[in-house]
């Protein structure tokens, strides 16, 4: 139990009815979970408005209502009504107080950007744990609390869930948390209620612009920039053309990294590393740190991910040797994840599921001069058809062979999605085959792999399911690959 007035302590509010000098037993923002004695926060969503459940909350015996607009409750009800400017913002501070401000017991690292967030969070976790710290992680794939892995619904969870995770991490003995911070999460105040020790900006490109997301690119940048008014130290990629716009109005100390000679932490002398079944890159760093680094993932974006991790971990006093060792062996599920099926060609799984990501990936892999670059992918159903045309065109232009297959068809016919992808490929001279069944498509690329090939299974990444007509069926590409090899009497290398 907690006093409502104590939970409301850090907020500006007006008590419209009753008194907040009363105990509350739970903090609730989902109308289905309203219970006697709770404090119910009325959230205005895109489909449902929590304010419309005010009467129900009063009838069920809720102790306090937190609102941002007028509500009516039965006159005889003794429920207290609190008015604040933004209930999402209020929920974040209420949640932090309800769970005992767990962020204050740990170092909190927040990473924002269009690309690289997921990979960088895992790199940072790997490096810091290699150096002896206990690290919790919150991101697109999962939340990791000790040995517990919780699949993610959102990149940055709702503030109540986020604070619950932080509480569990603190109780599990974590001294550090690294998390992805999405523009949506910042825009919806999910990360309010605490200060990040370090905030990171990786890069930004036009994305997440449209209904229920960001109105335009300026709005997208402004939302990313909110992180730098909520952290102590900001670390930014100064090679990105928009970094100064993103950090406009920052209240933190700023450091920069990149290939630029003006960067505080500069990467230079990058070299591609290639061996059978393996692609990587090595490079040197100077400025705020001086060391040579090798990663087991390919291309320039791998340098940026590693450089970001180094920029963060130097604040924790991690040695150069610990950083080098961790970077060389770190891997992230579904992000340029190499699966060793043959000594003659390279096969990898990646989450690239839009044209921008696929073009970046295929362009990078082209630099390794493969015998053939083979790209297997599908597109999700009940999503923009434009994405299918664009991805088809990108693969047709950059891959030597495209294998079109199924992704998450949802409520669409897989063949209709494949036909849309073929429309995009038709704008190029690219060769393609279509194999609707994803397992059979993977079998095809493995059986037809040629010496020196680089084969990419794109789009699914970390996902371990296929969504068909409202139901998720188990489907993990790693399992499919193992099954295919076992059917051939072989194992992974």
């Amino acid at each position: 139990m907690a006093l409502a007035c104590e939970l409301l302590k850090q907020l500006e509010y007006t008590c419209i009815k009753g008194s907040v000098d009363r105990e509350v037993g739970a903090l609730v923002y989902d109308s289905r979970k309203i219970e006697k004695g709770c404090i119910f926060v009325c959230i205005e969503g895109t489909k449902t408005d929590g304010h419309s459940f005010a009467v129900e909350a009063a009838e069920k015996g809720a102790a306090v209502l937190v609102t941002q607009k007028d509500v009516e409750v039965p006159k005889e009800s003794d429920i207290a009504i609190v008015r604040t400017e933004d209930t999402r913002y209020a929920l974040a501070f209420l949640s932090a107080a309800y769970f005992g401000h767990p962020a204050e017991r740990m170092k909190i690292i927040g990473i924002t950007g269009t690309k690289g967030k997921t990979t960088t969070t895992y790199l940072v976790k790997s490096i810091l744990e290699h150096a002896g710290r206990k690290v919790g992680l919150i991101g697109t794939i999962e939340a990791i609390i000790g040995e517990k892995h919780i699949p993610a619904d959102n990149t940055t969870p709702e503030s109540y869930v986020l604070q619950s995770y932080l509480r569990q991490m603190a109780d599990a003995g974590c001294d550090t948390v690294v998390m992805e911070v999405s523009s949506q999460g910042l825009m919806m105040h999910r990360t309010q209620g605490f200060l990040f020790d370090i905030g990171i900006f990786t890069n930004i490109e036009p994305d997440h612009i449209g209904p229920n997301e960001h109105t335009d690119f300026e709005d997208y940048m402004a939302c990313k920039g909110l992180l730098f008014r909520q952290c102590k130290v900001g670390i930014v990629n100064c090679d990105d053309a928009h970094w100064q716009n993103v950090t406009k109005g920052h209240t933190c100390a700023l450091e920069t990294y990149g290939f630029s000679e003006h960067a505080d932490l500069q990467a230079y002398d990058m070299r591609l590393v290639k061996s059978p079944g393996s692609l990587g890159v090595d490079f040197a760093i100077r400025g705020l740190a001086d060391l040579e680094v090798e990663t087991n993932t390919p291309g320039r974006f791998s340098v940026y991910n590693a450089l970001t991790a180094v920029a963060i971990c130097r604040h924790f006093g991690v040695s150069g040797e610990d950083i080098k060792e961790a970077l060389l062996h770190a891997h992230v599920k579904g992000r340029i994840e190499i699966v060793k099926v043959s000594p003659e060609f390279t096969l990898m799984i990646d989450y690239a599921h839009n044209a921008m990501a696929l073009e970046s990936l295929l362009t990078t892999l082209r630099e390794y001069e493969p015998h053939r670059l083979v790209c297997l992918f599908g597109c999700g159903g009940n999503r923009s058809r434009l994405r299918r045309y664009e991805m088809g065109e990108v693969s047709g232009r950059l891959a030597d062979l495209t294998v079109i297959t199924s992704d998450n068809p949802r409520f669409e016919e897989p063949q209709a999605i494949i036909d849309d992808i073929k429309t995009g490929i038709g704008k190029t001279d690219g060769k393609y085959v279509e194999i609707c069944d994803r397992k059979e498509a993977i079998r095809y690329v493995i059986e037809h792999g040629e010496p020196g090939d680089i084969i990419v299974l794109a789009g699914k990444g970390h996902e371990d399911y296929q969504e068909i007509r409202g139901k998720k069926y188990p489907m993990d590409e790693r399992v499919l690959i193992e099954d295919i090899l076992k059917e051939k009497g072989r194992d992974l290398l």
Side-chain angles (χ1 to χ4, degrees):
M1 301 286 281
L3 284 173
C5 57
E6 287 297 314
L7 297 183
L8 289 159
K9 207 171 193 177
Q10 291 185 303
L11 287 168
E12 291 186 9
Y13 65 91
T14 303
C15 196
I16 305 294
K17 177 183 182 300
S19 168
V20 293
D21 190 17
R22 60 174 70 184
E23 287 191 334
V24 292
L27 174 62
V28 176
Y29 62 97
D30 182 338
S31 62
R32 295 166 297 184
K33 297 180 180 178
I34 294 170
E35 61 181 66
K36 184 176 177 62
C38 75
I39 179 167
F40 177 56
V41 185
C42 301
I43 301 293
E44 191 171 5
T46 55
K47 296 179 180 177
T48 308
D49 187 349
H51 293 81
S52 64
F53 296 96
V55 171
E56 181 182 332
E59 290 174 344
K60 286 184 174 179
V64 181
L65 273 182
V66 180
T67 72
Q68 65 183 42
K69 56 187 181 184
D70 292 338
V71 295
E72 301 239 346
V73 297
K75 287 183 180 177
E76 65 273 13
S77 170
D78 71 344
I79 193 169
I81 300 177
V82 166
R83 180 78 173 264
T84 188
E85 185 176 338
D86 187 319
T87 52
R88 283 193 181 277
Y89 184 83
L91 178 62
F93 281 88
L94 287 165
S95 298
Y98 181 75
F99 286 104
H101 301 284
E104 294 176 2
R105 292 177 51 183
M106 302 173 286
K107 294 288 187 183
I108 313 292
I109 303 161
I111 302 174
T112 198
T114 304
K115 296 183 297 189
K117 296 189 299 295
T118 300
T119 300
T120 305
T121 54
Y122 281 88
L123 289 179
V124 169
K125 185 175 189 294
S126 177
I127 293 170
L128 292 180
E129 288 183 336
H130 196 79
R133 300 188 75 94
K134 188 166 184 180
V135 185
L137 181 147
I138 301 170
T140 300
I141 299 174
E142 62 191 344
I144 304 176
I145 306 170
E147 297 301 314
K148 183 162 61 173
H149 293 248
I150 306 168
D153 291 323
N154 299 302
T155 295
T156 306
E158 186 55 79
S159 56
Y160 179 93
V161 178
L162 172 58
Q163 291 293 336
S164 168
Y165 288 166
L166 294 177
R167 176 76 267 159
Q168 292 176 61
M169 289 172 180
D171 290 346
C174 292
D175 51 49
T176 311
V177 177
V178 57
M179 62 179 286
E180 297 182 52
V181 183
S182 68
S183 55
Q184 286 283 305
L186 289 161
M187 180 175 72
M188 299 173 87
H189 306 306
R190 292 173 184 163
T191 60
Q192 286 293 343
F194 65 95
L195 267 181
F196 289 92
D197 292 278
I198 299 176
I200 297 90
F201 165 68
T202 60
N203 53 63
I204 195 164
E205 295 178 21
D207 197 13
H208 302 293
I209 295 168
N212 301 326
E213 292 193 280
H214 300 288
T215 53
D216 53 31
F217 189 47
E218 292 297 320
D219 179 55
Y220 184 39
M221 286 194 290
C223 287
K224 290 288 190 193
L226 292 173
L227 178 60
F228 301 98
R229 301 176 194 179
Q230 198 191 331
C231 68
K232 298 173 186 175
V233 175
I235 300 175
V236 300
N237 174 6
C238 66
D239 291 348
D240 188 278
H242 305 286
W243 77 269
Q244 289 172 312
N245 283 331
V246 169
T247 56
K248 192 182 297 179
H250 69 87
T251 56
C252 59
L254 276 186
E255 295 177 5
T256 61
Y257 69 91
F259 283 90
S260 167
E261 61 182 17
H262 301 295
D264 296 321
L265 190 73
Q266 182 193 4
Y268 68 102
D269 196 18
M270 184 185 92
R271 297 178 299 276
L272 303 182
V273 178
K274 180 180 178 182
S275 60
S278 177
L279 303 173
V281 62
D282 65 26
F283 62 99
I285 298 173
R286 61 189 168 203
L288 293 175
D290 292 288
L291 65 157
E292 291 190 4
V293 171
E294 183 177 342
T295 73
N296 60 4
T297 53
R300 195 176 181 89
F301 54 71
S302 293
V303 175
Y304 279 117
N305 292 338
L307 194 60
T308 310
V310 173
I312 295 165
C313 292
R314 59 170 291 275
H315 282 271
F316 292 82
V318 182
S319 72
E321 285 306 309
D322 277 334
I323 288 174
K324 289 168 68 171
E325 180 72 15
L327 285 176
L328 187 58
H329 296 102
H331 72 278
V332 183
K333 185 178 181 181
R335 296 320 198 261
I336 327 177
E337 179 185 355
I338 292 177
V339 184
K340 297 193 175 183
V341 301
S342 169
E344 295 188 324
F345 58 82
T346 302
L347 182 141
M348 66 178 64
I349 295 171
D350 192 79
Y351 189 51
H353 60 291
N354 59 39
M356 181 173 64
L358 190 62
E359 178 148 15
S360 174
L361 176 63
L362 296 182
T363 300
T364 292
L365 297 177
R366 270 272 166 232
E367 296 176 356
Y368 287 81
E369 300 179 344
H371 169 63
R372 292 185 312 165
L373 181 54
V374 179
C375 180
L376 178 153
F377 78 97
C379 288
N382 303 105
R383 298 292 187 269
S384 169
R385 294 177 71 189
L386 181 61
R387 175 178 288 187
R388 304 168 193 176
Y389 305 146
E390 290 174 342
M391 289 185 71
E393 188 171 351
V394 165
S395 188
R397 177 164 46 84
L398 294 174
D400 296 296
L401 174 66
T402 299
V403 179
I404 314 171
T405 188
S406 190
D407 193 292
N408 292 318
R410 299 187 176 91
F411 289 93
E412 285 194 69
E413 289 300 321
Q415 189 59 49
I417 300 171
I418 288 172
D419 289 343
D420 283 341
I421 295 170
K422 284 159 61 178
T423 299
I425 292 182
K427 297 179 181 179
T428 73
D429 296 326
K431 297 177 181 177
Y432 71 88
V433 297
E434 55 180 287
I435 304 172
C436 190
D437 184 286
R438 198 167 184 108
K439 181 177 180 180
E440 293 309 310
I442 294 172
R443 186 193 307 278
Y444 177 87
V445 295
I446 290 175
E447 291 181 348
H448 291 81
E450 298 177 8
D453 281 355
I454 296 177
I455 301 169
V456 181
L457 312 184
K460 295 295 290 176
H462 60 277
E463 293 179 354
D464 58 4
Y465 63 85
Q466 187 171 42
E467 189 177 343
I468 303 171
R469 302 209 169 275
K471 186 174 179 181
K472 290 183 177 179
Y473 296 88
M475 193 194 75
D476 186 321
E477 289 186 319
R478 295 149 204 80
V479 175
L480 296 183
I481 291 167
E482 287 192 39
D483 287 347
I484 290 164
L485 293 181
K486 283 177 183 174
E487 288 164 15
K488 297 170 70 67
R490 292 167 46 198
D491 293 313
L492 290 173
L493 298 182

